[in-house]
Every structure is written in C-alpha cells, then in structure tokens.
C-alpha cells in the first residue's frame, strides 16, 4: 500500500495550544460565569476580559456568550441520521434509546457558546474547542449559537426600543443561482427604527429561527422590510422553507446524490457524494484522505460483484465504526475494478494511523492512500468538478 504522509501546519499547532490554554484556565472561570448566568447579569469585567482574550487567541474572529443551556427536545424518528455511512448497530442502539424516557429531560443548566459568525476558519477552531472540552455536568460547550424559537416569542431591546418579536413576519424567496434563500423581515416598529437597528433586528430574527450554522449555510441576504409582506409568514417557518429548498435543489436524499454513466466499453461509473455540503458540515474534518481500492470480482458492467461486493461493503462499515465521530466518507466512485474513496478526518484525533492499519487487511490488490491537510475542501471540490452541472441540474 503506497502511503504519502501529511505535514502538520503551524496554524493548527498554534490553535491547539490556544485551546489547551483555554481549558487549563476553565476551572477558575467556571464559578463566576455560572453565578452571572444564574443571576441573569453580565460576567464581572475581569472575568469577561480574560475569557475574551483566551477566545481571541483561539481565533481572532471568535466571540463568545454565556447563558442558560438551550432546551433539548425529545428526539423522534425524524431526528435519526439515516445516511449510508451510519453503522447499523449504532442505529439500532439509537432506536432503542427512543423508548427510554429516563434518557431525556436532563442536561446542563448553563451554556458557553463561541460565535464564529461567517468565518469558516473561526468555525473550524470553535469545533476543535468544543471537541476538546472537559466533561462538565453543569455546562454545555457550543461551537456556534443554535436556533432558539422560544426567544421568538419574547422581546428584545435596541436603542431604547423594546420590540415584541411575536409581531415579526417574514417573506422568503429562493435564489436559484446561489442555492440560498433571501429573507425579508418586517416588524411594525421598523418605521421608528434607524436603518442599523432594522438590519440588526432582521439578522437577529433569522439567527433565532435557524441558528448560526444554518444561517451561514442557507441564507444569502437578509433585508428589513418597511411594509408587511403580501403573504406574511412567521419566522418559525424559515427552517421548513430551507428544507423545501434543499429538496427542490436535489439535496434531500439524506444529504447524498448518486450519478451513473457508461463509457464506450460499456463499463459503468457509479459516483455517490455528499451534496450539498459546506464548510459548516463536519468543520473539524480538515484532513483529506483518498483511498484507491482495487477489486477482482466484477460483473459485465465493471461494478463489484459476488465476494468483492461483500468485501467492499464490509470494509467501509469497519472504517465507519473505526472513525466514529472523528471522520466521515465524502465520496465513493466505482469504475471497472477500482473503487475510489474520499474521507475527511479530524487531524487532531490521531484517527489516521488506525485507519491505515485497517486498510492493510485488504486482500484483492494493492491499495493506494494519500492524505493532505485541506481545510478548504479543495480536493473534494476538484473531484466533483467534472460532474458539477449534473449536481446542479
């Protein structure tokens, strides 16, 4: 098996040290932050300044906030991950857990949330920060602000204006060129507000409706409206509109698409890939790993057959179990005796070595493996480039 080693970047090393410094300091920050959250008041200036300095060392674009932990609704069948890379045994365990009422309703009282905003680089580091957090029964550590529909029933204050968010309505349209939605936000008091406050209120409403990650993924523009929309909708309808847009644009099949083609020799190409996928999906997975797997048992169309088909499926299942939440399959391409697999791994998890070891058990030819740090997902984009027009169609 040919192997090409990656090099660790200085940026990764520096951020790892900054994250370690944050968690080293956490025991001295925990109590005063909890007292401030419980009393519904800002953290003491000295504590807030120290947290800010530690967070900015992780990434200068990061902000933070402390508050009550978001409520966690009991999951149902619609919350299960049914994508093709989920281990069947793990899925059965999650199904069984749905019948255990004792497993829900308990959780931390407080949440410390990092705010990466639109910066993908900052979002990578906030994910690393969360993944390295210590166990703490009283605190949840969130890498981005989640959706909060409960707050859409409350009030907010800006420039001495108290605004009741239950009076907000929105309009939405899909921009097919960008694959994002455009949101207009109306509040009856907009006529009394400055342009800056109207824009801040509109952004705040969308953030509460979708959460930080989904807003960056799916929303193109947000504009305040001076008049009520012709067909006004509550802001809580924005997530449903996003799901409809994804389905309409061809990304509703559990986040995967499959393309098939036949060459002049009548060999069939079958390509399956995550689509659509953004840098907000699996943000800590920045190590691209490509594996070329030969197989010997194939049908007349060149696709794996018999023992090879079974062996390939078992290999991918073993790799998925091994990686767990430290990596994910992004692309599978099969043509005439060779399967190309593309994974992205968390380089801080040390998952690559056991991943390589598992591949050594393959007995149907010499595998080839290459890996490189790829935070921008350029390798994945290049692999999809020949098929982009089919994915968009």
């Amino acid at each position: 098996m040919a192997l090409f080693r990656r090099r660790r970047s200085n940026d990764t090393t520096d951020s790892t040290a900054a994250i370690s410094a944050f968690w080293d300091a956490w025991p001295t920050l925990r109590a005063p932050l909890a007292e401030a959250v419980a009393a519904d008041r800002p953290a003491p200036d000295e504590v807030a300044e120290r947290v800010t300095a530690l967070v900015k060392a992780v990434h200068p674009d990061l902000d933070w906030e402390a508050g009550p932990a978001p409520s966690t609704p009991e999951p149902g069948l619609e919350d299960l991950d049914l994508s093709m890379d989920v281990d069947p045994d793990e899925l059965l365990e999650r199904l069984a857990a749905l019948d255990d009422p004792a497993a829900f309703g308990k959780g931390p009282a407080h949440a410390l949330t990092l705010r990466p905003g639109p910066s993908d680089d900052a979002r990578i580091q906030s994910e690393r920060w969360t993944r390295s957090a210590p166990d703490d029964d009283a605190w949840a550590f969130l890498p981005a602000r989640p959706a909060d529909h409960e707050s859409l029933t409350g009030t907010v204050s800006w420039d001495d204006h108290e605004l009741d968010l239950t009076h907000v309505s929105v309009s939405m349209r899909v921009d097919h060129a960008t694959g994002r939605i455009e949101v207009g936000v109306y509040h009856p008091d907009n006529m009394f507000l400055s342009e800056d406050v109207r824009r801040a209120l509109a952004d705040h409403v969308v953030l509460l409706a979708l959460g930080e990650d989904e807003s960056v993924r799916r929303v193109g523009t947000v504009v305040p409206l001076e008049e009520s929309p012709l067909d006004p909708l509550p802001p809580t309808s924005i997530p449903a509109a996003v799901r409809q847009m994804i389905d309409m644009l061809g990304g509703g099949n559990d986040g995967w698409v499959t393309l098939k083609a036949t060459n002049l020799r009548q060999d069939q190409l079958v390509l399956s890939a995550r689509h659509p996928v953004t840098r907000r999906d699996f943000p800590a997975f920045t190590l691209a790993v490509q594996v070329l797997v030969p197989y010997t048992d194939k049908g007349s169309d060149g696709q794996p057959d018999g023992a090879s088909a079974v062996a390939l499926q078992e290999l991918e299942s073993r790799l998925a179990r091994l990686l767990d939440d430290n990596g994910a399959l992004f692309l599978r391409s099969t043509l005439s005796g060779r399967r190309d697999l593309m994974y992205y791994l968390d380089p801080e998890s040390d998952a690559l070595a056991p991943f390589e070891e598992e591949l050594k058990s393959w007995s149907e030819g010499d595998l080839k493996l290459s890996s490189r740090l790829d935070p921008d997902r350029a390798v994945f984009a290049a692999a999809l480039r020949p098929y982009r027009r089919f994915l968009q169609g």
Side-chain angles (χ1 to χ4, degrees), residues 112-391:
L112 183 61
T113 304
L114 296 194
R115 300 292 313 281
S119 170
D120 288 338
D121 289 340
R123 182 62 181 86
I124 292 171
Q125 300 310 328
S126 71
E127 186 72 14
R128 298 200 187 289
W129 173 86
T130 298
R131 288 166 67 87
S132 61
D135 293 332
D136 194 319
D137 293 339
W139 283 89
F141 303 107
L142 307 180
R145 179 187 277 185
D148 184 3
H149 287 195
E150 185 176 345
S151 292
L152 288 170
T153 64
T155 61
V156 294
S157 296
W158 261 299
D159 285 356
D160 297 325
H161 293 276
E162 187 170 294
L163 304 169
D164 186 345
L165 297 185
T166 62
H167 296 155
V168 169
S169 59
V170 302
S171 64
M172 288 172 282
R173 65 177 293 272
V174 177
D175 184 339
H176 290 268
T178 62
R180 295 172 177 263
I181 62 171
E182 299 175 353
V183 184
V185 179
Y186 172 75
H187 191 284
D189 290 348
N190 272 359
M191 65 180 69
F192 306 114
L193 305 175
S194 68
E195 179 66 17
D196 288 344
V197 172
R198 288 200 299 264
R199 290 189 176 277
L201 175 63
D203 289 336
H204 183 68
V205 166
V206 174
L207 183 65
L208 293 177
L210 283 175
E212 200 164 6
D213 281 343
E214 198 70 348
S215 295
V216 173
R217 284 188 189 102
R218 311 300 181 195
V219 177
T221 59
V222 178
V223 295
L225 302 177
E226 296 183 359
E227 298 181 357
S228 177
L230 293 177
D231 296 309
L233 295 168
T236 52
S237 67
I238 297 177
V242 167
R243 287 192 294 270
Q244 292 174 2
M245 177 194 70
I246 294 171
D247 290 342
M248 180 177 61
L249 296 176
N253 186 23
D254 294 329
W256 287 79
V257 294
T258 298
L259 303 175
K260 296 182 179 180
T262 303
N263 64 17
L264 294 177
R265 297 192 303 271
Q266 299 304 302
D267 291 328
Q268 187 178 54
L269 166 70
V270 179
L271 180 141
S272 295
R274 293 185 183 273
H275 181 76
V277 64
T278 72
R279 280 303 296 118
R280 295 286 159 144
D281 301 296
F282 309 108
F285 298 173
T286 57
L287 178 65
V289 180
Q290 294 177 277
V291 187
L292 310 184
V293 187
Y295 57 89
T296 55
D297 195 354
K298 56 185 178 180
S300 59
D301 59 358
Q303 290 295 301
D305 197 6
S308 291
V310 173
L312 286 166
Q313 183 176 2
E314 291 178 346
L315 174 65
E316 289 185 32
S317 295
R318 292 197 304 273
L319 292 174
R321 288 193 296 270
L322 184 151
L323 290 175
D324 194 20
D325 62 353
N326 292 318
L329 177 66
F330 271 57
L331 182 146
R332 176 195 301 108
S333 176
T334 312
L335 175 66
S336 189
R338 193 180 89 175
R339 173 162 290 179
D340 297 357
L341 301 172
M342 183 181 299
Y343 290 85
Y344 275 84
L345 279 59
D346 178 1
E348 299 302 310
S349 68
D350 296 322
L352 182 59
F355 183 90
E356 293 171 350
E357 191 65 28
E358 182 62 47
L359 292 173
K360 292 179 181 178
S361 64
W362 187 251
S363 61
E364 299 191 25
D366 291 334
L367 293 92
K368 294 183 179 180
L369 181 148
S370 62
S371 63
R372 56 171 278 195
L373 286 170
D374 182 29
D376 296 326
R377 303 260 169 88
V379 175
F380 182 58
L384 289 184
R385 193 169 294 121
Y387 313 101
R388 184 64 61 185
R389 66 187 182 95
F390 299 105
L391 296 174

Side-chain angles (χ1 to χ4, degrees), residues 39-79:
D40 192 22
R41 56 175 170 74
D45 289 345
E46 181 180 351
V47 173
E49 290 171 3
R50 190 175 180 203
V51 174
T52 297
L54 289 165
V55 167
K56 294 293 185 182
V58 174
H59 195 283
D61 291 339
L62 285 171
D63 289 316
W64 66 278
E65 57 190 33
S71 58
T72 304
E74 293 189 10
L77 290 175
E78 68 276 6
D79 299 300

